[in-house]
Amino acid sequence: MHRLNNKRILLGITGGIAAYKTAEMVRHLRKAGAEVHVVMTPAACEFITPLTLQALSGNPVHTSMLDPKAEAGMGHIELAKWADAVLIAPASADFIARMAAGMGNDLLSTLCLVTQAPVYLAPAMNQGMWLDVATQKNCETLVGRGVKMFGPDNGYQACGDVGPGRMLDPDVILQNLAEQFETGLLAGKKVVITAGPTREAIDPVRYISNHSSGKMGFALAAAAADAGASVTVIAGPVNLETPDRVTRIDVADARSMHAAAMEHTANSDMFISCAAVADYRPETIAESKIKKDPGAPDQTMTIKLVRNPDIVASVAAKEDRPFVVGFAAETNNVVEYATSKLQRKKLDLVIANDVSDKSIGFNSEENAVTLIGPDFEEPLAKSSKQLLASQLIELIARYYKEMK
Ligand code: PMT
């Protein structure tokens, strides 16, 4: 079921007694980490209420193309494009016939015409209807177009008949669905990543910070989500869009990043500390804007700084710690200093970043790093932060499995 983590499932429900089983199916899909939007035909609404499925899916249920409220939330074309997979369960004989004929006479059939995502059908109907030559021909047509059938099952039917046509057990349908997705390297893992700079206030309008743009951390978040992980990025002040399928928590200073990291790494599998956290903050923050003395051009000012908490070391010191990967931004003796940070902060892996080269590191589009473990070093050549992030996530996932 881990393969369903982070996946976007459009569940189509058509009219049939098995529709009541979809409530459980939505619950299991959510538990497996999938996001679910439910589309119901008018006949389906006779068997189970949209309200039930809305409560369970956490999203508004779509029942009509002409519903301006639903269209304003997510239009039907957008919904068709949103899905990673369309699962229609139960799929009635009528719906299968309409789909085989290429009709778009309700929301669900229209979505099936629009979507580029694979479509899976779990047929459910009376055995006579299933065995009828017209239904068999319609299924053949759909299978020929690449639609996959899950079932039907054989056995007792609600109408009292015995034979083929029962909807497969919801667990079996979801197992079949999960098998259609590749296993991501981090499927089912909970990953927390810090990104960007922190800002340490001096007074209401001034702060101490650095040049981190958050690009490296956000690229890692996107790559980890692509690898199937549930990702939370704790971001300092950055000007970036949140990657798809990533939960974002915005913080400003080191102490709030520390609190967020301590909270969100509870029950997490991996922590990647990419943020450029200010090591020091002003001891006191002036309540109002600090004014210069106009009559004293030689005036100097001293700000006393105190140490900030070390976030990555605090996470690594937790009793039930996740796998911890730190970064080391160095300008000289890069590998040597990074290795000492690996040991001192009790990290599992450290990524050494030579920030003396302006074309890589802080606020650049590209980066080049060396991944360092207890007894190995793997240099990664200069490339875009996106490509580098995918390479890093692949390596980190491999070492995570070996070292855990
Ligand atoms: O954001 P970009 O513009 O894309 O740039 C990316 C980057 C250069 C910021 C990134 O690749 C990088 O090197 N990040 C680490 C920056 C840094 O502050 O390194 P450091 O050597 O000072 O810290 C070592 C490790 O301790 C890091 O994992 C850091 O997140 C962590 N740390 C540091 C201080 C602190 N108080 N708490 C921490 O958790």
Side-chain angles (χ1 to χ4, degrees):
M1 287 296 199
H2 281 154
R3 296 177 195 211
L4 290 169
N5 190 35
N6 262 344
K7 297 293 179 285
R8 292 169 169 165
I9 308 299
L10 201 157
L11 175 65
I13 308 176
T14 73
I17 184 63
Y20 81 91
K21 297 184 182 171
T22 54
E24 198 60 6
M25 222 139 87
V26 172
R27 216 172 56 80
H28 285 308
L29 278 167
R30 299 272 323 264
K31 211 167 140 205
E35 198 184 337
V36 186
H37 270 273
V38 176
V39 176
M40 298 174 76
T41 63
C45 301
E46 302 292 329
F47 291 92
I48 182 166
T49 70
L51 197 61
T52 305
L53 294 154
Q54 177 172 315
L56 291 168
S57 67
N59 281 316
V61 169
H62 311 257
T63 53
S64 157
M65 265 202 314
L66 307 173
D67 176 356
K69 224 164 71 201
E71 283 291 300
M74 193 190 277
H76 64 282
I77 303 285
E78 212 184 320
L79 191 60
K81 289 184 181 162
W82 167 89
D84 292 323
V86 178
L87 169 66
I88 300 173
S92 65
D94 170 69
F95 186 79
I96 289 173
R98 288 193 286 119
M99 198 177 159
M103 293 181 78
N105 56 349
D106 65 7
L107 176 60
L108 187 56
S109 54
T110 306
L111 288 171
C112 289
L113 289 175
V114 177
T115 192
Q116 296 296 307
V119 179
Y120 306 105
L121 298 184
M125 66 198 74
N126 164 270
Q127 54 90 25
M129 291 167 85
W130 172 252
L131 292 171
D132 186 87
V133 67
T135 307
Q136 288 302 308
K137 198 90 199 127
N138 288 335
C139 288
E140 226 175 84
T141 305
L142 290 174
V143 169
R145 279 191 219 143
V147 171
K148 271 202 179 145
M149 299 282 168
F150 297 157
D153 208 354
N154 220 310
Y156 283 100
Q157 303 203 298
C159 57
D161 281 5
V162 180
R166 273 169 62 93
M167 189 172 86
L168 278 183
D169 194 69
D171 282 349
V172 179
I173 293 176
L174 295 188
Q175 198 53 51
N176 283 341
L177 180 67
E179 280 163 16
Q180 309 307 313
F181 292 102
E182 282 180 21
T183 332
L185 283 170
L186 291 175
K189 301 292 170 213
K190 192 176 159 202
V191 176
V192 179
I193 300 174
T194 61
T198 61
R199 278 183 189 168
E200 310 301 324
I202 298 170
D203 69 12
V205 297
R206 301 181 179 95
Y207 55 80
I208 298 170
S209 190
N210 60 64
H211 293 292
S212 170
S213 62
K215 287 177 198 161
M216 191 68 238
F218 274 50
L220 284 164
D226 281 349
S230 297
V231 183
T232 300
V233 67
I234 302 172
V238 296
N239 212 351
L240 296 174
E241 276 201 17
T242 312
D244 221 10
R245 302 163 208 243
V246 168
T247 304
R248 172 174 181 166
I249 290 152
D250 287 308
V251 295
D253 57 24
R255 283 182 296 173
S256 41
M257 188 176 272
H258 179 260
M262 294 305 271
E263 179 187 339
H264 290 277
T265 49
N267 305 317
S268 70
D269 299 289
M270 188 180 287
F271 177 61
I272 305 178
S273 183
C274 185
V277 186
D279 286 319
Y280 297 90
R281 67 176 184 277
E283 186 176 40
T284 53
I285 304 171
E287 271 179 28
S288 46
K289 186 180 170 196
I290 300 170
K291 307 295 278 180
K292 59 182 178 292
D293 178 353
D298 297 333
Q299 181 190 18
T300 60
M301 185 173 138
T302 304
I303 299 172
K304 188 172 176 194
L305 301 177
V306 292
R307 286 284 286 268
N308 267 327
D310 190 313
I311 301 168
V312 74
S314 306
V315 173
K318 277 180 153 190
E319 208 172 302
D320 190 14
R321 60 174 264 169
F323 189 78
V324 180
V325 183
F327 268 76
E330 307 292 350
T331 51
N332 54 311
N333 301 334
V334 177
V335 170
E336 184 191 329
Y337 288 157
T339 307
S340 85
K341 274 182 185 158
L342 173 84
Q343 291 154 358
R344 189 161 30 88
K345 299 193 185 209
K346 300 199 171 15
L347 311 175
D348 293 299
L349 298 171
V350 70
I351 298 162
N353 205 160
D354 181 352
V355 291
S356 66
D357 178 349
K358 291 272 176 288
S359 70
I360 58 172
F362 285 96
N363 201 17
S364 57
E365 295 307 318
E366 296 184 314
N367 207 358
V369 296
T370 304
L371 179 69
I372 302 171
D375 52 8
F376 59 84
E377 278 171 31
E378 291 214 27
L380 296 173
K382 185 169 167 178
S383 65
S384 71
K385 284 184 175 168
Q386 285 71 22
L387 180 59
L388 193 73
S390 320
Q391 293 168 344
L392 278 169
I393 288 295
E394 205 175 313
L395 285 170
I396 292 169
R398 208 178 77 210
Y399 286 116
Y400 167 77
K401 283 194 182 118
E402 278 174 23
M403 292 163 67
K404 254 297 188 194

